[in-house]
Amino acid sequence: MLPKDPVILLSVVNTKLRDFYSDLDDLCAGEDANQTALLETLADLNYRYDAAHNQFV
């Protein structure tokens, strides 16, 4: 389960992307997370997913 707090979520997601998942689709499938909600939550913090670096920047 991913954290609800957006700042902690950012840290956890980037760590999981770096250490365990090859891309955002894999992360969402593996963590049973709603990709649209995740993207919207982190967009509120002005972060977007960068597929080339496999992280939110």
Side-chain angles (χ1 to χ4, degrees), residues 3-4 11 15 17 47 51 53 55:
K4 300 291 184 204
S11 177
T15 299
L17 285 168
Y47 282 86
H53 293 101
Q55 67 181 5

Side-chain angles (χ1 to χ4, degrees), residues 1-13:
M1 172 157 281
L2 295 174
K4 300 291 184 204
D5 181 275
V7 176
I8 296 172
L9 176 65
L10 173 65
S11 177
V12 168
V13 166

Side-chain angles (χ1 to χ4, degrees), residues 6-50:
V7 176
I8 296 172
L9 176 65
L10 173 65
S11 177
V12 168
V13 166
N14 273 342
T15 299
K16 287 182 178 279
L17 285 168
R18 182 190 68 221
D19 295 343
F20 302 110
Y21 296 103
S22 61
D23 60 28
L24 185 59
D25 291 332
D26 286 345
L27 178 132
C28 289
E31 299 293 326
D32 194 30
N34 180 303
Q35 186 169 337
T36 302
L38 177 63
L39 290 168
E40 289 173 356
T41 298
L42 295 179
D44 288 345
L45 295 176
N46 295 318
Y47 282 86
R48 62 174 178 75
Y49 179 67
D50 181 343

